[in-house]
Amino acid sequence: VPSVVRGSFVVKFWTAPAMSATINHEGTDQPLPVEVRERPTAHTSIYKAGQLVYDGAAASDESAAAARAAASMEPGTSLNQMLAWGIANSSPEELERRAAAGATAPSQLDQEVLDMLLGQPAVASMRAALGKLDAEGIAAGAGATEAALAALEELEYYCEDVDLAVDFAKIGGLRAALLVLGAPPAAAEGGADDSTAASADGHLPEMRPPDAELAEAACGVVAAGAQNNPPFQQACIALRTHRALLALLVATGEAAAPVPLQRKALLALSAIARGSAEAAAAVLVQPAALPCFGRLAASGDAKLRRRALQFLLALLRDYALSAEALRPHVTPAALVAAATPPADAETAAAALHVAIALSGDAAFRRAFAGAGGGALTAAPDEEEVAALLQQLLPRLTSD
């Protein structure tokens, strides 16, 4: 070992021994490889999902070629592999034959998958769908109506996305929806300067839906886009969409809209007003709004009654509506009926919440008790209803 003397210290350097060119294996020296030799890729083993599908170590050139041919029969997992597989396995002659034979067009699900793979812009798809909402075409025949219904279902799917819903409003989707709802063309041409005060003239547009089923689908599109979406809610108020929906709900007698359409219209109106003080004020400033909601809260249709009560409860909780303003329009008897079995738990809970909010008035408490409110009971599995009754019933006996 070499060493160097520095002052009073001796520094020794250790030199690694030269690597042996052999290795002892079972008592015999075997030479180590001196170079890396790669085998052909045809002899590489292939695993799929942890399972050996091709043993390269035991493969011959013929079996390797067969394995590659078998692998080409599967599309792979990446987009590039699927594209390469599609090109390799497509037949122009077969495609021409299918086109000449009138092959079935891609389904809605197939179209969505193709749009995702090919990067089809959603806005372009929405524009194409809006092109099918032609009023003259809808009135022409059932074929156009079916195409429009499919287009509205597609638009509702897109409007469930917050950003796409805003794009839908920007490209004129709300105006098209208003025309499908039966609003006069002038009523669908509002502007950004339409204020809440300007919409409080008490005159609602006369709604004449060309097709009730299409109008119901259009309400679904508006409801999907307005859900927790302030820019979309503002666009609805600017175009006075809330007034068109309210007009569908206000009409009674022979002019009344079908019950399914009323349900969807109330759902859309609720989505516009919830969570937005400006939108809620624009709805409640309409003179016909609260009387209409009070009437719907006493509706004989269970779903319509539940939605009306839940809407009123949301307005009370958001402080958009005061108990004093609501009390003249909701009768205690209607709330008692909504909370009486066999009413479902959701309807009963909403009715009791509203009753508790209105119970600050002695006259209301007496009327509620006189309508049978003091005898209300809850089913054993309705814990929320039971808790609300425990909160409300003592107030009825406090006078």
Side-chain angles (χ1 to χ4, degrees):
V1 178
S3 61
V4 177
V5 178
R6 290 187 176 180
S8 59
F9 297 97
V10 178
V11 181
K12 296 185 177 182
F13 299 94
W14 178 79
T15 304
M19 181 176 291
S20 174
T22 60
I23 185 171
N24 187 277
H25 177 67
E26 297 181 351
T28 304
D29 290 338
Q30 301 290 339
L32 292 173
V34 295
E35 62 179 345
V36 177
R37 287 177 290 180
E38 296 184 358
R39 301 191 65 184
T41 56
H43 296 279
T44 301
S45 297
I46 300 176
Y47 291 83
K48 186 174 182 180
Q51 182 179 1
L52 179 66
V53 296
Y54 170 65
D55 187 0
S60 62
D61 292 339
E62 292 78 8
S63 61
R68 287 196 298 271
S72 66
M73 298 298 293
E74 298 184 2
T77 56
S78 69
L79 292 179
N80 287 335
Q81 289 174 333
M82 286 189 283
L83 178 60
W85 177 86
I87 294 173
N89 291 275
S90 63
S91 171
E93 294 79 10
E94 176 64 16
L95 293 176
E96 291 179 2
R97 185 193 66 78
R98 293 188 62 188
T104 305
S107 66
Q108 179 63 32
L109 178 61
D110 294 335
Q111 190 61 50
E112 292 173 7
V113 173
L114 289 173
D115 289 347
M116 180 179 64
L117 293 177
L118 300 178
Q120 174 72 9
V123 174
S125 298
M126 288 193 291
R127 288 185 185 275
L130 287 173
K132 301 175 183 178
L133 304 182
D134 177 49
E136 296 180 358
I138 292 173
T145 301
E146 293 177 1
L149 186 60
L152 288 168
E153 291 175 355
E154 181 181 0
L155 291 170
E156 181 177 356
Y157 165 78
Y158 284 122
C159 284
E160 291 175 355
D161 182 279
V162 173
D163 295 328
L164 292 180
V166 176
D167 292 335
F168 170 79
K170 290 180 179 178
I171 63 176
L174 278 176
R175 289 185 171 87
L178 283 170
L179 294 177
V180 174
L181 288 174
E189 296 298 330
D193 57 345
D194 291 335
S195 64
T196 300
S199 66
D201 55 10
H203 177 70
L204 297 176
E206 183 179 354
M207 306 296 290
R208 294 180 179 178
D211 185 277
E213 188 177 7
L214 289 179
E216 185 180 346
C219 289
V221 175
V222 176
Q227 188 76 25
N228 298 320
N229 194 343
F232 192 93
Q233 292 170 319
Q234 293 172 2
C236 288
I237 298 303
L239 289 175
R240 305 187 181 185
T241 310
H242 60 298
R243 291 166 53 84
L245 294 170
L246 184 60
L248 289 173
L249 296 171
V250 166
T252 58
E254 295 182 356
V259 172
L261 177 54
Q262 290 187 52
R263 294 173 185 166
K264 277 299 184 70
L266 183 57
L267 178 66
L269 187 60
S270 173
I272 291 174
R274 287 192 184 191
S276 171
E278 178 186 358
V283 171
L284 294 176
V285 76
Q286 306 298 322
L290 285 179
C292 175
F293 300 153
R295 176 177 56 82
L296 296 178
S299 171
D301 181 74
K303 184 176 290 187
L304 192 57
R305 180 173 61 246
R306 180 174 66 250
R307 286 183 177 173
L309 289 169
Q310 290 176 338
F311 182 29
L312 291 174
L313 178 59
L315 293 174
L316 288 168
R317 286 177 170 173
D318 291 343
Y319 300 102
L321 176 63
S322 66
E324 291 72 17
L326 177 61
R327 195 175 288 118
H329 304 287
V330 178
T331 64
L335 297 177
V336 172
T340 301
D344 62 274
E346 291 184 5
T347 302
L352 292 175
H353 273 296
V354 174
I356 291 173
L358 302 181
S359 63
D361 179 70
F364 176 88
R365 293 194 298 269
R366 289 192 297 269
F368 190 88
L376 289 174
T377 59
D381 58 340
E382 297 178 351
E383 297 180 358
E384 182 183 5
V385 174
L388 291 171
L389 286 174
Q390 290 180 358
Q391 183 179 353
L392 176 61
L393 294 181
R395 301 186 183 187
L396 303 180
T397 59
S398 62
D399 295 333

